[in-house]
Amino acid sequence: MKGTNMAKKVVIVGAGWAGCAAALAARKMGCDVELFERTDMLLGTGLVGGIMRNNGRFTATEEMIAMGGGDLFIIADEHARHKNIEFPGHYHANLYDVATIEPAVRTELANVGVKIHFKTRVTDIETNHGVITKIVADQLHGDTVTVEGAAFVDGSGTAGPIKNCIKYGNGCAMCIYRCPTFGPRFSIAAKAGIKEIISIKPDGTLGAMSGSCKLHKDSLGLHLKKELDSKGVCVIPIPAHLQKSLASLGQKACQQYASQEFVENIVLLDTGHAKLMTAYYPLEILRQITGLENARFEDPYAGGIGNSMRYFGMLPRDNYLQVNGLQNVFCCGEKAGLLVGHTEAIVTGTLAGYNAARYTRATDLLAIPTSLACGDAIAHVRAEMETPEGLANKYTFSGSVYFERMKNRHLYTTDIEEIKLRVRQAQMTDIFAASQ
């Protein structure tokens, strides 16, 4: 579908990895871009994330670089604490430093001219004949801001708010979303009347719990800390009487880490924090494990009780990431469906921002060909979300059902030259690189 030749401003709501990628993509297309973030930092869960390039994410990353949309991946590589590490079921992973990544991304957005509104929560919209024309936002302890746009990107996420964490999880775990301080997420598409989609776990309950928590590295035993610093990963056997059940891991959003190895072992990754690869761990049990006698949670602060609940606000969309029923609104990150992870967010954010810019030019929108992993994932997840069985799964390049699909369709490879060839054959080389 084509748009109209309105003023070329793209407004993006939500500045996680996906929103930042959308901002860069639209700005490179020559649009004025305004990015609204309700908190005081960029990247959302990326502030406590860190895992890149593991398994099929390597393929997706190199596809995006070959397509000219690799800016954020290159920054993540530059800020890696560890490269090419292995941990159970995962290979050739990079771990970026959660302390330095956000300022680096903020600098990149500022350098290309993206206008960022921090501590500014969108609260309302105005529409006209099926298009959103402007958003209204409240600055924390400040004024109300009204901004018009020709196209909009909804990257507001699907986590929380607190009432969902209480009803479907174990209560507010005081996570990086910081809803009590900055307010809950706000979807411009939902406000415009689009019905959001909620994920369903195999047991029939709703939503999914975030898949990892973080420990203060200085609370670890000295031998564990040294191993993390030198190797980036530490695998600690759990005494049998302290192990969780495999079924308990089914509540996680990150199903690629729901395997027997994660039942039998504590897996820690060095992202600046000690990233503990489980949704939560009761502190009284954790401290019975050798080396963790003084363990303390960094995120969420109540990581001994629970974690944030996610996938409550996805949007129906097509393979252009255009929201069904709204001509000038695109979606990315978790709003675009059951794709889990930073890599997946950057992929969808780049396409959403790019197509929002094309809409402002009255230019045909772009779908990434399914001969590439990035395009296949976007199309496959959209189709799967139309079935009850599909809504019970989570999809990621790095594991579980979608990584198996990648391997079965011969999409997974770590051969960079082969990836470049595939991108070239798909006529997608440098498509996201600059104004066209």
Side-chain angles (χ1 to χ4, degrees):
M1 178 180 287
K2 295 183 179 181
T4 58
N5 275 314
M6 301 168 64
K8 297 181 179 66
K9 177 179 282 187
V10 174
V11 177
I12 300 164
V13 179
W17 273 118
C20 291
L24 281 173
R27 188 73 187 112
K28 287 197 291 186
M29 286 286 285
C31 290
D32 292 334
V33 177
E34 297 200 32
L35 177 59
F36 284 79
E37 169 55 40
R38 63 182 179 84
T39 76
D40 54 358
M41 289 188 285
L42 304 174
L43 300 187
T45 56
L47 290 166
V48 292
I51 307 174
M52 307 292 283
R53 290 185 175 267
N54 52 324
N55 294 347
R57 287 175 178 159
F58 186 100
T59 307
T61 294
E62 291 297 334
E63 284 184 358
M64 290 302 294
I65 290 172
M67 287 189 281
D71 312 63
L72 295 178
F73 292 114
I74 292 170
I75 291 173
D77 285 347
E78 291 171 346
H79 288 265
R81 294 176 66 90
H82 304 276
K83 294 185 177 182
N84 198 30
I85 70 164
E86 297 182 9
F87 58 97
H90 295 262
Y91 303 92
H92 48 74
N94 285 5
L95 304 177
Y96 67 70
D97 192 323
V98 295
T100 65
I101 191 70
E102 193 271 349
V105 174
R106 188 184 295 217
T107 298
E108 176 69 10
L109 293 181
N111 287 344
V112 300
V114 174
K115 183 176 181 180
I116 308 174
H117 300 265
F118 286 108
K119 295 185 289 186
T120 307
R121 180 175 174 269
V122 175
T123 56
D124 205 356
I125 61 170
E126 292 186 18
T127 61
N128 184 25
H129 301 294
V131 300
I132 294 179
T133 57
K134 64 179 66 173
I135 59 99
V136 180
D138 292 336
Q139 297 174 333
L140 187 67
H141 307 144
D143 298 328
T144 296
V145 178
T146 301
V147 175
E148 296 182 352
F152 297 79
V153 177
D154 193 334
S156 58
T158 67
I162 294 174
K163 64 179 182 181
N164 283 335
C165 293
I166 292 172
K167 184 174 181 179
Y168 301 105
N170 295 344
C172 175
M174 293 180 282
C175 72
I176 195 63
Y177 288 111
R178 297 170 289 164
C179 300
T181 300
F182 296 107
R185 59 181 168 85
F186 179 92
S187 170
I188 56 174
K191 183 66 174 180
I194 303 302
K195 184 178 180 180
E196 293 181 308
I197 302 167
I198 301 175
S199 72
I200 304 172
K201 293 194 286 292
D203 65 3
T205 57
L206 302 181
M209 188 172 285
S210 293
S212 69
C213 44
K214 296 86 202 170
L215 301 176
H216 196 303
K217 281 180 67 177
D218 285 342
S219 73
L220 306 180
L222 184 59
H223 66 292
L224 297 184
K225 184 179 178 184
K226 286 182 176 179
E227 186 171 351
L228 273 182
D229 286 339
S230 63
K231 298 180 180 179
V233 59
C234 187
V235 180
I236 310 163
I238 304 172
H241 69 285
L242 297 178
Q243 291 177 11
K244 295 183 178 182
S245 67
L246 182 60
S248 71
L249 301 184
Q251 63 187 315
K252 296 173 58 169
C254 309
Q255 287 299 287
Q256 66 272 31
Y257 309 125
S259 68
Q260 190 63 32
E261 290 170 297
F262 289 88
V263 171
E264 297 173 353
N265 300 283
I266 292 286
V267 179
L268 298 177
L269 303 178
D270 177 24
T271 61
H273 296 142
K275 187 177 179 74
L276 172 58
M277 303 305 295
T278 189
Y280 67 97
Y281 218 104
L283 193 61
E284 64 275 13
I285 297 177
L286 190 65
R287 286 183 170 180
Q288 295 181 51
I289 298 171
T290 301
L292 300 175
E293 293 88 350
N294 300 317
R296 172 177 166 177
F297 286 100
E298 283 283 283
D299 175 80
Y301 278 117
I305 303 297
N307 213 322
S308 58
M309 296 297 296
R310 294 156 59 184
Y311 294 99
F312 289 100
M314 300 172 291
L315 295 170
R317 48 81 176 175
D318 57 25
N319 293 339
Y320 307 121
L321 300 183
Q322 188 175 38
V323 177
N324 296 349
L326 290 173
Q327 296 178 28
N328 69 333
V329 181
F330 300 81
C331 61
C332 58
E334 292 181 5
K335 299 304 288 188
L338 292 160
L339 283 161
V340 180
H342 309 325
T343 299
E344 294 76 1
I346 295 170
V347 169
T348 56
T350 300
L351 182 61
Y354 179 81
N355 275 333
R358 289 180 73 92
Y359 178 90
T360 70
R361 295 179 170 191
T363 304
D364 287 338
L365 304 180
L366 174 77
I368 300 175
T370 56
S371 59
L372 302 177
C374 293
D376 181 71
I378 289 170
H380 179 66
V381 169
R382 180 195 59 78
E384 287 295 293
M385 286 177 60
E386 295 176 355
T387 69
E389 296 80 11
L391 277 176
N393 287 322
K394 306 296 181 295
Y395 305 85
T396 168
F397 298 117
S398 68
S400 192
V401 291
Y402 186 73
F403 184 44
E404 290 304 312
R405 176 181 170 87
M406 284 184 70
K407 291 185 286 187
N408 291 338
R409 294 174 66 87
H410 307 292
L411 292 171
Y412 169 56
T413 179
T414 58
D415 185 333
I416 294 176
E417 292 306 314
E418 172 64 22
I419 294 168
K420 290 179 180 177
L421 176 61
R422 293 179 187 178
V423 171
R424 187 162 61 249
Q425 290 174 336
Q427 300 182 327
M428 292 290 287
T429 300
D430 287 335
I431 192 73
F432 301 123
S435 181
Q436 301 174 35

